[in-house]
């Protein structure tokens, strides 16, 4: 596990951008933490680091945003508003779990059993200061 402490939104963005360098098509990244803890900002940094040319925004109301990248697509999924497992099934997320996409999933716990078994988990916590964040990154490999 790798841990970071950021003290500004820009630092959180930059950690996401640097983390992107280790991602490859087919990877899935779970972004967990409370509201306002930096998940979407970190995801935007990943997008920039992967060569996405447009500004990445939260897909809270659309559930899924697709961004073109040099290798294929970055898929940003936000499951915050999901209330029932059947709603996850209706999204058709599994079509994005290919070697042409990098998938970023906020609130992945709402998709239990419907995601790839190998993923990176990025956990966010508010720190002591107003803009301070604690970010822990773990590569989860099934046993």
């Amino acid at each position: 596990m790798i841990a970071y402490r950021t003290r500004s939104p820009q630092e959180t963005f930059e950690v996401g951008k640097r983390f992107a360098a280790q991602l490859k098509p087919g990877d899935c990244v779970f972004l967990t933490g409370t509201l306002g803890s930096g998940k979407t900002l970190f995801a935007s940094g990943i997008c920039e680091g992967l060569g996405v040319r447009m500004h990445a925004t939260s897909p809270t109301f659309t559930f899924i945003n697709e961004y073109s990248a040099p290798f294929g697509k970055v898929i940003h999924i936000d499951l915050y508003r999901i209330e029932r497992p059947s709603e996850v099934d209706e999204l058709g997320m599994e079509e994005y779990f290919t070697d042409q996409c990098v998938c970023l999933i906020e609130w992945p716990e709402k998709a239990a059993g419907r995601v790839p078994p190998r993923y990176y988990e990025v956990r966010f916590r508010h720190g002591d200061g107003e803009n301070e964040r604690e970010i822990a990154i773990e590569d989860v490999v099934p046993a």
Side-chain angles (χ1 to χ4, degrees), residues 17-80:
K17 188 174 174 181
R18 286 193 311 271
F19 173 66
Q22 72 187 58
L23 297 175
K24 62 187 180 316
D27 283 344
C28 193
V29 179
F30 291 1
L31 305 164
T32 65
T34 60
L35 283 173
S37 61
K39 296 180 298 295
T40 299
L41 190 58
F42 187 87
S44 295
I46 291 174
C47 287
E48 184 169 304
L50 291 174
V52 171
R53 296 277 182 231
M54 60 188 299
H55 176 68
T57 60
S58 174
T60 300
F61 295 100
T62 58
F63 295 108
I64 299 173
N65 285 345
E66 294 184 27
Y67 302 107
S68 293
F71 58 84
K73 293 182 180 181
V74 176
I75 308 301
H76 187 182
I77 302 168
D78 188 333
L79 301 176
Y80 177 71

Side-chain angles (χ1 to χ4, degrees), residues 1-6 15 18-20 22 42 120-124 133-140:
M1 180 177 70
I2 300 170
Y4 298 92
R5 181 178 305 269
T6 62
V15 171
R18 286 193 311 271
F19 173 66
Q22 72 187 58
F42 187 87
Y120 290 96
E121 182 175 17
V122 184
R123 293 181 301 276
F124 297 83
R133 299 295 183 266
E134 296 171 6
I135 304 168
I137 302 173
E138 183 176 358
D139 186 359
V140 178

